[in-house]
Every structure is written in structure tokens, then in C-alpha cells.
């Protein structure tokens, strides 16, 4: 997804990496990253949106994403995860996860 440097998803990527999940993916060990995600201060029943492109997205619950994160990362460029009611957003790309604010 091409974005300008002043858009909030681009700013998130300037933060330190929250977690590198490549080893979990390759070892078929999704629980390690799942537990990191569940440790974030996000309500399990929070409605979230997962975008792969500006035109391709789904709506689900935070707990569904956390328990099935590996299935949402089929796109090479990763995905953007956020909810309407929460300030926290995640950017997952190239084996890394960044966590930041939408503001």
C-alpha cells in the first residue's frame, strides 16, 4: 500500500519493532506471537479491520485475529490492523510487527 510519509500507518513503522514473527511462522509455532498480541491492551471483543490494500479488507474481532494471525498474513506486503474505537494500530510486514497510535 503506497502511503505518504505523513499518514499514520507510515508513522507507525518509524517506531521500534514490537515483535519479529518470522521464526514463529517457519516453525509453525503461532502461540508465541499470539500471546504477545493478547498482551496488548485491546479488548478481546473489539471490532477490528484488517487491510491488505486500500480495496481489500475484512472486519473481525481482535480475539479472532490473535488466535489466527498466521492465516491473515497471506499477502506478501503484510497488513494493517486497527479498530474504530481504539487508538492502537498494528502494521505487519516482512516478518515484523509494529504497534503504534492512529493519531
Amino acid at each position: 500500500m503506497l502511503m505518504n510519509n505523513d499518514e499514520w500507518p507510515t508513522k507507525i513503522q518509524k517506531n521500534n519493532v514490537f515483535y519479529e514473527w518470522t521464526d514463529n511462522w517457519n516453525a509453525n509455532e503461532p502461540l508465541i506471537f499470539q500471546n504477545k498480541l493478547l498482551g496488548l491492551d485491546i479488548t478481546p471483543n473489539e471490532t477490528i479491520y484488517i487491510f491488505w490494500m486500500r480495496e481489500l479488507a475484512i472486519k473481525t474481532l481482535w480475539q479472532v485475529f490473535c488466535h489466527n494471525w498466521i492465516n491473515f498474513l497471506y499477502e506478501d506486503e503484510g497488513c494493517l490492523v486497527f479498530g474504530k474505537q481504539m487508538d492502537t494500530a498494528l502494521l505487519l510486514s516482512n516478518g515484523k510487527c509494529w504497534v503504534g497510535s492512529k493519531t
Side-chain angles (χ1 to χ4, degrees):
M1 207 179 315
L2 296 175
M3 294 186 197
N4 296 325
N5 286 336
D6 61 346
E7 294 182 84
W8 63 263
T10 305
K11 291 178 184 178
I12 288 174
Q13 199 169 17
K14 293 178 182 175
N15 295 337
N16 290 329
V17 173
F18 171 70
Y19 192 75
E20 293 189 38
W21 47 263
T22 307
D23 291 339
N24 302 143
W25 176 290
N26 291 332
N28 196 25
E29 295 176 341
L31 293 179
I32 298 169
F33 186 41
Q34 174 183 314
N35 290 331
K36 293 284 285 184
L37 293 170
L38 289 169
L40 292 172
D41 189 23
I42 301 172
T43 307
N45 288 326
E46 177 78 37
T47 298
I48 62 164
Y49 300 89
I50 304 168
F51 282 81
W52 292 276
M53 293 181 248
R54 292 180 192 261
E55 310 83 23
L56 182 59
I58 64 165
K59 177 175 145 179
T60 189
L61 298 176
W62 175 247
Q63 64 186 349
V64 171
F65 176 75
C66 290
H67 291 286
N68 301 284
W69 68 270
I70 205 163
N71 297 306
F72 289 99
L73 298 177
Y74 64 87
E75 182 66 42
D76 287 346
E77 293 181 15
C79 62
L80 182 59
V81 180
F82 63 93
K84 282 185 185 180
Q85 305 303 318
M86 58 190 227
D87 185 50
T88 302
L90 289 83
L91 178 63
L92 292 97
S93 182
N94 298 319
K96 297 180 176 106
C97 176
W98 292 266
V99 176
S101 172
K102 293 188 307 187
T103 56

